[in-house]
Amino acid sequence: MTKKLQEYNHHKQGHLLLLHKSWYFLLFIQVICSLVALALADVVDKDKNALLQLKSAIIEDPLGLTSNWNPKDTDFCSWYGVTCDPVSRRVTALNLSSDLNHTCSLLSLSATGGNFSLPFSCRRERVDNNSSSKLKGQLSPAIGGLTQLRVLLLGFNGFFGELPLEIGRLSLLEILDLGFNAFYGPIPLTLQNCTSLRVINLSGNQLNGTIPEFFGHFTGLQVVSLWFNFLSGSIPQELGENCGSLEHIHLAGNLLSGSIPSNLGNCIELRSLILSSNRLQDDIPASFGQLLNLEVLDLSQNFLSGVVPPELGNCKQLKVLVLKNSYDPLFSRDNDSLPIQPVVEGEKDFNFFDGLLPDSITRLPNLSVLWAPSINLEGTFPQNWESCSKLEMLNLAQNFLTGQIPASFGKCKNLYFLDLSSNNLTGLVPEEISVPCMVFFNVSQNFLSGDIHKFSHGECSKMYVNLSMSHVDFLGLYKSFFYSNALTTIAPLASPSNGLVVLHDFSSNLFTGPLPPLLIHSADFPSKPFYGFWFGGNNLKGNISTYSFDLCRSLHGLIFDIGKNKIIGELPLDMGSHCRCMKFLSLAGNEFVGQVPKTFANLDSLVNLNLSRNQLQGVIPSYIGKLKNLKYFSLSSNNFTGAIPRELVQLTSLEVLELSWNSFSGEIPPDLIKLENLNILRLDHNNFTGKIPTGFSTTASLSLFDVSFNNLSGPVPQNSNSIKCENVQGNPNLQPCHDDPSSSEWEQQHSGGISQQDANSPTGSMQRNSSVLNPIEIASITSATIIFSVLVALVLLLVCMKKFSCNSVADRGSVRKEVVIFHNIGAQLTYENVVRATAGFNVQNCIGSGGFGATYKAEISPGVVVAVKRLSVGRFQGDQQFDAEIKTLGRVQHPNLVTLIGYHVSEGEMFLIYNYLPGGNLEKFIQERPRRNVEWMAWASMLLLQGRPSEFFTAGLWDSGPHDDLIEMLHLAITCTAESRSTRPFMRQVAQRLKQIQPPS
């Protein structure tokens, strides 16, 4: 019994001891849990405090996005833009992006905590960082306290200041989007601690410095988007070393220089590579042919050269290829406070390539947009387009392509934008091309010929897209961007917001036969389109008095330009009765006869009406006053008679009125001064009588007022900036004219009072003593001499020069460093001095570039500045004629020709040294021309249009020179000084034209 009792007690004590130990263990666990809970609560509180500190750094929150971030609220995970882990309640995502209604989600990404989109501006309007609906303030260093943060989205706001170093504490951060704010300063080095980063978007800020090399160490990186900052230096080689996951590289709109790293070809998952609007140099890497998944490649607005690599034909997924873009950048923003601009001023794109467009590119099966205008392409136009089923937009304008337009374009069933203008194409336009289905078709300024027949169009409806809408991918974004910019030339006439705009341009070719009908197939359009129809400057013949304008009823607006042809007959009646939507009408330079039809009174939408240089007669109809929108009105060089109708005063929008070279009579209506927008008034070469209304002397808007060669009498109004003596000559009864003493210094030096008796006929100026030349003659002769002299020099160089770009000096081994000198400039000219003065041919010293090459400003010694033109050497190695021709140029001296000071030629380097002209170039002259009081180019244009070019030249020059050559030279001078850069020829084109007209040796 005692033994059993002892066993019982022993077991009881064991149970009690075990129970006691369990109780202590449970107590220990409870203590541990309490401590962990306290620690977690403390960490969670730190997240809350960090959020509140972020809010305190925001100075403007107009939409109240953070209004529910209340310090007393314990559930901060429910605050706007905050996402927490459901278990730990730690903040994992913060999304305060703004302006999402004006953005497109071009990239969709998944990250811890959900799916997120990376927004980009998809509107053509500029991104405005000063919008009142955005958050503004600094990004608080407290952001580093959110140590569990995976996603940070603050795009499209007004955050400013430097990026906080504490951002480097976010070691788990996967998506960083601070795009389109106002951050400045360098990218912080502490960001290298964020090794989990997959997306880096810092676009649209003011960041400077260089692209960090450590970006290449993030093995999981998928997106690097840094466009439109002020980043400089080169693209780091490290970016292409560990880039197996990289899908998007966007570095456009910076100040990046140097070569494009060839090892970017290792980024085999790359889908978009956008490097436009920088200062990148040298060749396009052939290694890009390894990017089999590449869909978008934009290299425009750089200084690239070499050949277009045929290896790009291996990129079978390529949809968008942009090699040049003369428009504004794809994305931009309004911010007048920026200290510098990321895009080179003036000419935006200096990409010029050698040779042909590779056939491998024309065979790309998924290519939708190919944009390569004016990149110096030459040779026969590619003929193989059989794989173009997805091609929608093709721009190869302003190159040197020859041959015929391929009929294989007829297989491009989705092609709606085709620009082949300003090439050297010949032959017919193939009937297989669905021109009626195209939204934009431009083959102007070629040598195309033959009759225009009916084009096939089949089913067009599938080709039309609403190009004005916001698209959700890069392809749609580029299509919308290029289409909208192509309409800028007709923007005053057509508003794209009213619907689709369709442009068909066949002008300035050699087409013959009758005028074809309107080519648009409007039945397939979703709404009434605005239509532009250009056939001017051809050899079309026939009578259009019965031409059908029935299609006008299905149009929102119409541009109809058939000027400078050989069309005869009376003006068509149906034009006025059917085309009330007409905005632009040019019938100038034909052989129309008869009077202006009464039906023209219905053209009340007209903005531009040009009937000049025909054989029309009668009086100006009184209904002209009904055309309230008219801004340009020209009847010059016809046979009109009668007085100027008073109804003209009702045209309050009128800016240009040209009635010269007719037989108008009567007095000049003084009420014309009421036309407040009138800028040009030409009434010369008529039979007007009476006095010049004194009101014209005080009209501020007039820049040109010409009443020369009439029968006016009385005094010339004084103190007038608009009335010049040269523009009142040829009126025998007019009192002597004296130019305003406040006229320009140039005019005071070269002009004087013009005697009316010496100028009573159109040829009076040629009959005066040759030693007394008027300002126009002096300006024309001098300018023609300058242009002729300089361009003849270019012709001499044509056989030995090749296009190149602003490249930095590379190590080319041993170089013969001799510089041949023709003229002593008072400073030592050596190879080393030239390279040093140009900073190694750095783009910062590049002052111009074109089809012949790049020119650099070089200060050889203090006060001694020269211009250095750098040539490529590949084509001319061993050319024995080079030295001889350069030495010939070295002996040429002329006051209007730049002086060739010296040159250098070696196996790896060639450059010419000229005197530097600090007064600026032709571009500057053109830009400043509105401030000059010389209208000689306008006068020359008028004389050419009226078929009177002989009056531009002195009698001796006109009599001694071949007339055709002189006229061609005058055409060339006018073209080279055109207002619009897009219409000016390249120097290579100029040299080719000069070579065609140069006298035989």
Side-chain angles (χ1 to χ4, degrees), residues 539-557:
N539 294 316
L540 301 179
K541 298 181 180 180
N543 191 317
I544 66 165
S545 57
T546 59
Y547 190 85
S548 174
F549 288 92
D550 291 340
L551 272 176
C552 283
R553 294 190 174 101
S554 60
L555 302 177
H556 177 72

PDB file of all heavy atoms in Angstrom, residues 539-557:
ATOM      1  N   ASN A 539       2.005  69.439-116.807  1.00  0.00           N
ATOM      2  CA  ASN A 539       1.720  69.773-118.203  1.00  0.00           C
ATOM      3  C   ASN A 539       0.324  69.311-118.597  1.00  0.00           C
ATOM      4  O   ASN A 539       0.095  68.851-119.718  1.00  0.00           O
ATOM      5  CB  ASN A 539       2.763  69.134-119.135  1.00  0.00           C
ATOM      6  CG  ASN A 539       4.145  69.708-118.925  1.00  0.00           C
ATOM      7  OD1 ASN A 539       4.304  70.920-118.800  1.00  0.00           O
ATOM      8  ND2 ASN A 539       5.158  68.843-118.884  1.00  0.00           N
ATOM      9  N   LEU A 540      -0.616  69.437-117.667  1.00  0.00           N
ATOM     10  CA  LEU A 540      -1.983  69.021-117.943  1.00  0.00           C
ATOM     11  C   LEU A 540      -2.627  69.968-118.953  1.00  0.00           C
ATOM     12  O   LEU A 540      -2.385  71.182-118.937  1.00  0.00           O
ATOM     13  CB  LEU A 540      -2.796  68.994-116.653  1.00  0.00           C
ATOM     14  CG  LEU A 540      -2.278  68.070-115.548  1.00  0.00           C
ATOM     15  CD1 LEU A 540      -3.167  68.157-114.326  1.00  0.00           C
ATOM     16  CD2 LEU A 540      -2.188  66.626-116.037  1.00  0.00           C
ATOM     17  N   LYS A 541      -3.452  69.415-119.818  1.00  0.00           N
ATOM     18  CA  LYS A 541      -4.114  70.198-120.853  1.00  0.00           C
ATOM     19  C   LYS A 541      -5.604  69.896-120.843  1.00  0.00           C
ATOM     20  O   LYS A 541      -6.092  69.086-120.061  1.00  0.00           O
ATOM     21  CB  LYS A 541      -3.521  69.880-122.227  1.00  0.00           C
ATOM     22  CG  LYS A 541      -2.045  70.218-122.367  1.00  0.00           C
ATOM     23  CD  LYS A 541      -1.538  69.891-123.754  1.00  0.00           C
ATOM     24  CE  LYS A 541      -0.063  70.228-123.895  1.00  0.00           C
ATOM     25  NZ  LYS A 541       0.450  69.899-125.254  1.00  0.00           N
ATOM     26  N   GLY A 542      -6.305  70.570-121.696  1.00  0.00           N
ATOM     27  CA  GLY A 542      -7.718  70.304-121.840  1.00  0.00           C
ATOM     28  C   GLY A 542      -8.593  71.400-121.265  1.00  0.00           C
ATOM     29  O   GLY A 542      -8.117  72.427-120.773  1.00  0.00           O
ATOM     30  N   ASN A 543      -9.888  71.172-121.344  1.00  0.00           N
ATOM     31  CA  ASN A 543     -10.901  72.121-120.915  1.00  0.00           C
ATOM     32  C   ASN A 543     -11.660  71.527-119.733  1.00  0.00           C
ATOM     33  O   ASN A 543     -12.111  70.389-119.794  1.00  0.00           O
ATOM     34  CB  ASN A 543     -11.860  72.397-122.086  1.00  0.00           C
ATOM     35  CG  ASN A 543     -12.787  73.555-121.814  1.00  0.00           C
ATOM     36  OD1 ASN A 543     -13.331  73.687-120.722  1.00  0.00           O
ATOM     37  ND2 ASN A 543     -12.988  74.386-122.822  1.00  0.00           N
ATOM     38  N   ILE A 544     -11.791  72.294-118.646  1.00  0.00           N
ATOM     39  CA  ILE A 544     -12.473  71.753-117.464  1.00  0.00           C
ATOM     40  C   ILE A 544     -13.798  72.478-117.211  1.00  0.00           C
ATOM     41  O   ILE A 544     -14.325  72.434-116.108  1.00  0.00           O
ATOM     42  CB  ILE A 544     -11.590  71.851-116.219  1.00  0.00           C
ATOM     43  CG1 ILE A 544     -11.327  73.305-115.820  1.00  0.00           C
ATOM     44  CG2 ILE A 544     -10.296  71.106-116.399  1.00  0.00           C
ATOM     45  CD1 ILE A 544     -10.767  73.441-114.417  1.00  0.00           C
ATOM     46  N   SER A 545     -14.334  73.121-118.255  1.00  0.00           N
ATOM     47  CA  SER A 545     -15.589  73.857-118.045  1.00  0.00           C
ATOM     48  C   SER A 545     -16.728  72.930-117.660  1.00  0.00           C
ATOM     49  O   SER A 545     -17.711  73.368-117.042  1.00  0.00           O
ATOM     50  CB  SER A 545     -15.946  74.641-119.314  1.00  0.00           C
ATOM     51  OG  SER A 545     -16.043  73.762-120.430  1.00  0.00           O
ATOM     52  N   THR A 546     -16.611  71.629-118.004  1.00  0.00           N
ATOM     53  CA  THR A 546     -17.652  70.662-117.633  1.00  0.00           C
ATOM     54  C   THR A 546     -17.154  69.683-116.573  1.00  0.00           C
ATOM     55  O   THR A 546     -17.738  68.611-116.391  1.00  0.00           O
ATOM     56  CB  THR A 546     -18.115  69.882-118.874  1.00  0.00           C
ATOM     57  OG1 THR A 546     -16.989  69.207-119.452  1.00  0.00           O
ATOM     58  CG2 THR A 546     -18.724  70.823-119.908  1.00  0.00           C
ATOM     59  N   TYR A 547     -16.077  70.044-115.897  1.00  0.00           N
ATOM     60  CA  TYR A 547     -15.486  69.177-114.867  1.00  0.00           C
ATOM     61  C   TYR A 547     -16.506  68.937-113.749  1.00  0.00           C
ATOM     62  O   TYR A 547     -17.218  69.845-113.317  1.00  0.00           O
ATOM     63  CB  TYR A 547     -14.241  69.865-114.312  1.00  0.00           C
ATOM     64  CG  TYR A 547     -13.371  69.019-113.405  1.00  0.00           C
ATOM     65  CD1 TYR A 547     -12.406  68.171-113.934  1.00  0.00           C
ATOM     66  CD2 TYR A 547     -13.484  69.091-112.030  1.00  0.00           C
ATOM     67  CE1 TYR A 547     -11.568  67.420-113.114  1.00  0.00           C
ATOM     68  CE2 TYR A 547     -12.662  68.344-111.192  1.00  0.00           C
ATOM     69  CZ  TYR A 547     -11.708  67.506-111.744  1.00  0.00           C
ATOM     70  OH  TYR A 547     -10.896  66.776-110.930  1.00  0.00           O
ATOM     71  N   SER A 548     -16.562  67.706-113.260  1.00  0.00           N
ATOM     72  CA  SER A 548     -17.555  67.358-112.244  1.00  0.00           C
ATOM     73  C   SER A 548     -17.034  67.662-110.834  1.00  0.00           C
ATOM     74  O   SER A 548     -15.949  67.212-110.452  1.00  0.00           O
ATOM     75  CB  SER A 548     -17.899  65.871-112.346  1.00  0.00           C
ATOM     76  OG  SER A 548     -18.746  65.485-111.286  1.00  0.00           O
ATOM     77  N   PHE A 549     -17.832  68.406-110.108  1.00  0.00           N
ATOM     78  CA  PHE A 549     -17.539  68.698-108.707  1.00  0.00           C
ATOM     79  C   PHE A 549     -18.607  68.117-107.779  1.00  0.00           C
ATOM     80  O   PHE A 549     -18.822  68.604-106.679  1.00  0.00           O
ATOM     81  CB  PHE A 549     -17.446  70.211-108.496  1.00  0.00           C
ATOM     82  CG  PHE A 549     -16.218  70.834-109.083  1.00  0.00           C
ATOM     83  CD1 PHE A 549     -16.236  71.345-110.374  1.00  0.00           C
ATOM     84  CD2 PHE A 549     -15.042  70.895-108.369  1.00  0.00           C
ATOM     85  CE1 PHE A 549     -15.109  71.915-110.926  1.00  0.00           C
ATOM     86  CE2 PHE A 549     -13.904  71.460-108.908  1.00  0.00           C
ATOM     87  CZ  PHE A 549     -13.934  71.978-110.197  1.00  0.00           C
ATOM     88  N   ASP A 550     -19.252  67.033-108.231  1.00  0.00           N
ATOM     89  CA  ASP A 550     -20.323  66.431-107.437  1.00  0.00           C
ATOM     90  C   ASP A 550     -19.816  65.926-106.083  1.00  0.00           C
ATOM     91  O   ASP A 550     -20.556  65.931-105.092  1.00  0.00           O
ATOM     92  CB  ASP A 550     -20.967  65.273-108.204  1.00  0.00           C
ATOM     93  CG  ASP A 550     -21.758  65.759-109.410  1.00  0.00           C
ATOM     94  OD1 ASP A 550     -22.114  66.960-109.429  1.00  0.00           O
ATOM     95  OD2 ASP A 550     -22.006  64.956-110.323  1.00  0.00           O
ATOM     96  N   LEU A 551     -18.546  65.494-106.037  1.00  0.00           N
ATOM     97  CA  LEU A 551     -17.998  64.960-104.788  1.00  0.00           C
ATOM     98  C   LEU A 551     -17.925  66.020-103.691  1.00  0.00           C
ATOM     99  O   LEU A 551     -17.811  65.680-102.508  1.00  0.00           O
ATOM    100  CB  LEU A 551     -16.603  64.376-105.029  1.00  0.00           C
ATOM    101  CG  LEU A 551     -16.531  62.908-105.453  1.00  0.00           C
ATOM    102  CD1 LEU A 551     -15.099  62.505-105.745  1.00  0.00           C
ATOM    103  CD2 LEU A 551     -17.112  62.005-104.375  1.00  0.00           C
ATOM    104  N   CYS A 552     -17.942  67.289-104.075  1.00  0.00           N
ATOM    105  CA  CYS A 552     -17.831  68.355-103.077  1.00  0.00           C
ATOM    106  C   CYS A 552     -18.911  68.248-102.009  1.00  0.00           C
ATOM    107  O   CYS A 552     -18.691  68.630-100.856  1.00  0.00           O
ATOM    108  CB  CYS A 552     -17.916  69.728-103.749  1.00  0.00           C
ATOM    109  SG  CYS A 552     -16.387  70.216-104.576  1.00  0.00           S
ATOM    110  N   ARG A 553     -20.053  67.732-102.393  1.00  0.00           N
ATOM    111  CA  ARG A 553     -21.175  67.663-101.454  1.00  0.00           C
ATOM    112  C   ARG A 553     -20.901  66.684-100.311  1.00  0.00           C
ATOM    113  O   ARG A 553     -21.550  66.751 -99.268  1.00  0.00           O
ATOM    114  CB  ARG A 553     -22.443  67.257-102.191  1.00  0.00           C
ATOM    115  CG  ARG A 553     -22.931  68.301-103.197  1.00  0.00           C
ATOM    116  CD  ARG A 553     -24.323  67.954-103.702  1.00  0.00           C
ATOM    117  NE  ARG A 553     -24.875  68.977-104.552  1.00  0.00           N
ATOM    118  CZ  ARG A 553     -24.903  68.917-105.882  1.00  0.00           C
ATOM    119  NH1 ARG A 553     -24.410  67.849-106.504  1.00  0.00           N
ATOM    120  NH2 ARG A 553     -25.429  69.898-106.601  1.00  0.00           N
ATOM    121  N   SER A 554     -19.939  65.786-100.514  1.00  0.00           N
ATOM    122  CA  SER A 554     -19.623  64.813 -99.458  1.00  0.00           C
ATOM    123  C   SER A 554     -18.337  65.171 -98.723  1.00  0.00           C
ATOM    124  O   SER A 554     -17.782  64.339 -98.018  1.00  0.00           O
ATOM    125  CB  SER A 554     -19.491  63.410-100.066  1.00  0.00           C
ATOM    126  OG  SER A 554     -18.454  63.377-101.029  1.00  0.00           O
ATOM    127  N   LEU A 555     -17.875  66.425 -98.893  1.00  0.00           N
ATOM    128  CA  LEU A 555     -16.648  66.870 -98.261  1.00  0.00           C
ATOM    129  C   LEU A 555     -16.926  67.945 -97.221  1.00  0.00           C
ATOM    130  O   LEU A 555     -17.870  68.725 -97.345  1.00  0.00           O
ATOM    131  CB  LEU A 555     -15.663  67.418 -99.303  1.00  0.00           C
ATOM    132  CG  LEU A 555     -15.237  66.475-100.424  1.00  0.00           C
ATOM    133  CD1 LEU A 555     -14.316  67.200-101.407  1.00  0.00           C
ATOM    134  CD2 LEU A 555     -14.544  65.238 -99.863  1.00  0.00           C
ATOM    135  N   HIS A 556     -16.082  67.968 -96.214  1.00  0.00           N
ATOM    136  CA  HIS A 556     -16.148  69.024 -95.197  1.00  0.00           C
ATOM    137  C   HIS A 556     -15.410  70.275 -95.648  1.00  0.00           C
ATOM    138  O   HIS A 556     -15.730  71.393 -95.226  1.00  0.00           O
ATOM    139  CB  HIS A 556     -15.554  68.516 -93.885  1.00  0.00           C
ATOM    140  CG  HIS A 556     -15.509  69.539 -92.806  1.00  0.00           C
ATOM    141  ND1 HIS A 556     -16.643  69.976 -92.145  1.00  0.00           N
ATOM    142  CD2 HIS A 556     -14.479  70.237 -92.267  1.00  0.00           C
ATOM    143  CE1 HIS A 556     -16.304  70.885 -91.247  1.00  0.00           C
ATOM    144  NE2 HIS A 556     -15.001  71.059 -91.306  1.00  0.00           N
ATOM    145  N   GLY A 557     -14.426  70.110 -96.514  1.00  0.00           N
ATOM    146  CA  GLY A 557     -13.661  71.228 -97.047  1.00  0.00           C
ATOM    147  C   GLY A 557     -12.826  70.746 -98.214  1.00  0.00           C
ATOM    148  O   GLY A 557     -12.617  69.539 -98.396  1.00  0.00           O
TER     149      GLY A 557
END
